[in-house]
Structure formats: structure tokens, C-alpha cells
Amino acid sequence: MKIRLQLRYPREPELVALRYNPCLDFIGITKQALLSYVNKTEFHFTIPEGYAYVKKPLVLYINLDEKDCKDRQIIDMLHENKAPNTTFVRNLLIRSISNDISDIYKDEKLKALAIESVKD
């Protein structure tokens, strides 16, 4: 199963900042958040500060292997959800951020880089 995520700065600047952060693995964090949700356990992460953003594609795919036991649990849960998978994943990730991210909304470099990505 593939989940296509298209991140948009105007809609979720915090996820664009997460995607552009060279210290974090966006797909790995997404899978951890999904598995924690399935297992009904807490999952939180922080977005590190003090780094230069690295431009990456804002369209990405979360690949879940139906043969993998953990991925199978995630797939089953997603099939039960009534909300679109992309909406569910975006909201789950935003709720999992544990540090103060108010600076993201004021970051001109992030905004410029995200706008530049859309033009590419």
C-alpha cells in the first residue's frame, strides 16, 4: 500500500519544516507515529532547531508492505478509518510534534524555500 502525501506550505508549514529538516527522517517518523497509533501508545518527537533546511520534494510516498506484520497492522487500521489516509497521516504527525514550533510560522527562509519548491 502506498500513501501519497503532498505537503503544502500554506496548509501545513510545520510538516514542510519537518520534511526539510536534515536531522529527521520524515517517512520513518510517519511509520513510527502510525504504529504507535495502532498500538495505542504515545508517540512524540521534536523538530530540532539551529540547522539549515534542505530542499526536498513535497510530494512523497509512504510505502507499507502488506507482508510485514507491523505494516499490515497499519494497513488494516487505515482501511477501517473513514477519513482519507492523507488527512489522517498529516493530522497525526502534527499532533505528535512535542516542542514549541511557533518560530516555524515566522521563518522567512522556510517560506521562500517552500514557494520555490512549488515552482520547480
Side-chain angles (χ1 to χ4, degrees):
M1 172 183 211
K2 280 187 179 183
I3 302 170
R4 181 181 186 268
L5 289 180
Q6 182 173 2
L7 305 177
R8 294 186 183 113
Y9 180 83
R11 184 176 58 201
E12 64 264 325
E14 49 281 289
L15 294 185
V16 172
L18 169 62
R19 176 71 173 143
Y20 285 169
N21 190 311
C23 304
L24 298 173
D25 173 13
F26 189 98
I27 293 173
I29 288 172
T30 302
K31 284 187 169 185
Q32 288 177 30
L34 287 166
L35 191 57
S36 291
Y37 183 85
V38 166
N39 292 326
K40 298 176 177 33
T41 58
E42 294 265 339
F43 175 77
H44 296 286
F45 66 93
T46 59
I47 298 179
E49 298 177 18
Y51 55 85
Y53 291 114
V54 175
K55 185 174 160 185
K56 298 178 184 175
L58 293 178
V59 176
L60 62 147
Y61 294 88
I62 310 300
N63 294 310
L64 299 170
D65 182 358
E66 302 209 7
K67 295 176 184 172
D68 180 88
C69 182
K70 292 178 182 178
D71 284 1
R72 182 78 238 165
Q73 291 176 311
I74 295 169
I75 292 167
D76 291 344
M77 178 272 300
L78 290 172
H79 284 307
E80 292 173 2
N81 279 346
K82 303 304 178 219
N85 291 338
T86 55
T87 302
F88 177 79
V89 169
R90 284 194 304 265
N91 287 324
L92 181 64
L93 285 172
I94 291 170
R95 289 191 324 259
S96 297
I97 299 170
S98 64
N99 58 324
D100 178 19
I101 56 170
S102 57
D103 287 346
I104 287 173
Y105 305 110
K106 302 171 193 170
D107 193 326
E108 290 294 329
K109 290 179 184 177
L110 174 64
K111 182 178 180 180
L113 194 58
I115 291 170
E116 181 182 310
S117 290
V118 172
K119 292 178 184 178
D120 291 345

